[in-house]
């Protein structure tokens, strides 16, 4: 098994990158879940399917933030990705491994930091001298590939990024789930890149709202504006990116109307 030293932790490269530190495993998933990785403690940053395989392994304790328990059922995962408006329904808080998961996680070696935005319950972990930030921000190629970073709450994600930037000064290494494994200096640059990218995206969304448009039309306009060709814009990418776009629109001063094509928005002027 190939690992990389980041601070005092070992990281198994993958998508997600998996962190190993003194019997603690964070975000075991994707192809890495085929590896024989055991830990006393299995932690997940959030409920997305590619981050939770470790929770189904034998371990003394396991943690997934309670607000992300929908991630353990297939229906919950689908609804969470494509959008649902009845979050409180027991359908979406259904939990397959409830007995094993505690509501809060306490360990002298682990600091749990609430970093919502990507999902409602997303957390980051400071373990030893390393900050594992999960999907709170992304590698440059991931950002430019999807155009919109996947944030169910874009504005909370930006606040979380500011929090991460602050914490990152006091650690030796910073690791994200989907992106390259860089030294601290380059990771600080990547945080800055994510913050600027978010600002750029807000401006693009604003520009697309000069006349009445649906959130899906906003996505297409922004993707085209960011250089994507028509054949690169799939229905899946529109629906996924629509979640982030809606969240950005929600924080702007817009007029709203309902039409046969759905809800339309226009920048208030
Ligand atoms: Zn995720
Ligand atoms: Zn992920």
């Amino acid at each position: 098994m190939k690992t990389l030293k980041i601070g005092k932790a070992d990281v198994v490269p993958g998508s997600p990158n998996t962190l190993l530190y003194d019997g603690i495993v964070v975000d075991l998933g994707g192809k890495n879940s085929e590896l024989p990785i055991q830990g006393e403690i299995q932690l997940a940053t959030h409920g997305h399917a590619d981050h939770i395989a470790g929770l189904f392994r034998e371990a003394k304790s396991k943690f997934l933030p309670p607000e992300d328990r929908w991630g353990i059922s297939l229906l919950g995962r689908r609804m969470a990705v494509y959008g649902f408006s009845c979050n409180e329904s027991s359908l979406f808080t259904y939990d397959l491994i409830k007995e094993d998961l505690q509501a809060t996680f306490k360990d002298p070696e682990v600091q749990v930091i609430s970093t919502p935005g990507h999902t409602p319950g997303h957390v980051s972990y400071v373990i030893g001298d390393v900050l594992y930030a999960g999907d709170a921000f992304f590698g440059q190629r991931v950002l430019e590939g999807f155009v919109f970073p996947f944030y169910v709450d874009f504005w909370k994600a930006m606040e979380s990024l500011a929090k991460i930037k602050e914490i990152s000064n006091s650690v030796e290494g910073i690791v994200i789930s989907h992106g390259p494994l860089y030294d601290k200096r380059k990771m600080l640059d990547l945080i800055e890149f994510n913050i600027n990218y978010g600002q750029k995206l807000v401006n693009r969304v604003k520009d697309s709202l000069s006349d009445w448009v649906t959130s899906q039309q906003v996505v297409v306009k922004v993707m085209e504006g960011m250089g994507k060709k028509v054949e690169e814009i799939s229905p899946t990418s529109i629906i996924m990116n629509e979640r982030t776009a809606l969240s950005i629109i929600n924080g702007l001063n817009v007029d709203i109307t309902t039409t046969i094509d759905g809800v339309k928005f226009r920048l208030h002027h």
Side-chain angles (χ1 to χ4, degrees):
M1 188 170 69
K2 202 181 132 237
T3 62
L4 230 111
K5 263 269 179 272
I6 305 269
K8 289 195 188 75
D10 292 302
V11 178
V12 188
S15 194
N17 298 308
T18 302
L19 187 98
L20 312 175
Y21 182 95
D22 195 19
I24 303 167
V25 181
V26 187
D27 278 5
L28 180 58
K31 281 226 167 78
N32 286 353
S33 62
E34 290 161 19
L35 300 168
I37 297 172
Q38 295 295 337
E40 298 254 286
I41 298 172
Q42 288 279 357
L43 305 175
T45 53
H46 64 291
H48 282 156
D50 54 332
H51 295 254
I52 59 171
L55 301 177
F56 296 94
R57 296 261 167 107
E58 194 79 51
K60 268 195 188 148
S61 78
K62 308 172 187 183
F63 182 67
L64 170 70
E67 302 92 329
D68 269 28
R69 296 282 158 88
W70 46 261
I72 302 168
S73 83
L74 183 63
L75 179 63
R77 280 204 294 276
R78 291 212 173 130
M79 294 300 280
V81 170
Y82 295 114
F84 62 98
S85 53
C86 45
N87 308 26
E88 305 304 319
S89 163
S90 58
L91 249 182
F92 305 115
T93 50
Y94 177 68
D95 179 353
L96 288 174
I97 44 177
K98 198 168 262 160
E99 323 76 57
D100 296 328
L101 295 174
Q102 53 268 69
T104 54
F105 178 75
K106 281 209 163 59
D107 184 284
E109 265 185 315
V110 183
Q111 204 188 329
V112 184
I113 297 145
S114 170
T115 47
H118 177 66
T119 64
H122 190 284
V123 296
S124 300
Y125 297 102
V126 175
I127 307 177
D129 55 358
V130 175
L131 166 68
Y132 188 90
D135 286 358
F137 66 101
F138 301 97
Q140 187 173 340
R141 239 189 276 167
V142 175
L143 281 178
E144 288 167 352
F146 286 96
V147 175
F148 285 77
F150 187 82
Y151 293 138
V152 294
D153 190 326
F154 173 86
W155 302 100
K156 272 191 186 160
M158 289 299 113
E159 284 171 28
S160 294
L161 255 175
K163 197 193 254 186
I164 282 169
K165 187 180 166 181
E166 212 178 287
I167 294 165
S168 61
N169 291 317
S170 58
V171 294
E172 285 305 311
I174 303 152
V175 179
I176 49 170
S177 294
H178 309 289
L181 294 163
Y182 287 148
D183 63 19
K184 182 182 166 179
R185 201 178 46 81
K186 277 178 108 176
M187 287 308 283
L188 292 175
D189 290 344
L190 187 57
I191 293 172
E192 217 53 58
F193 182 85
N194 272 258
I195 292 170
N196 294 335
Y197 189 94
Q199 196 49 58
K200 196 167 79 181
L201 203 57
V202 170
N203 291 333
R204 294 264 180 187
V205 169
K206 275 186 180 167
D207 290 344
S208 73
L209 289 163
S210 54
D211 207 353
W212 291 108
V213 278
T214 66
S215 47
Q216 291 174 355
Q217 288 169 324
V218 167
V219 169
V220 174
K221 277 189 172 193
V222 172
M223 288 185 80
E224 283 176 347
M226 301 276 262
K228 290 284 171 194
K229 297 191 194 81
V230 180
E231 60 270 24
E232 291 176 303
I233 305 175
S234 68
T236 308
S237 66
I238 294 172
I239 296 169
M240 294 264 302
N241 285 342
E242 186 188 10
R243 287 230 74 190
T244 306
L246 257 178
S247 163
I248 293 174
I249 294 167
N250 193 42
L252 302 174
N253 185 10
V254 289
D255 297 321
I256 300 173
T257 185
T258 312
T259 73
I260 193 79
D261 296 326
V263 179
K264 288 197 173 185
F265 307 91
R266 189 180 64 183
L267 212 58
H268 185 76
H269 43 216

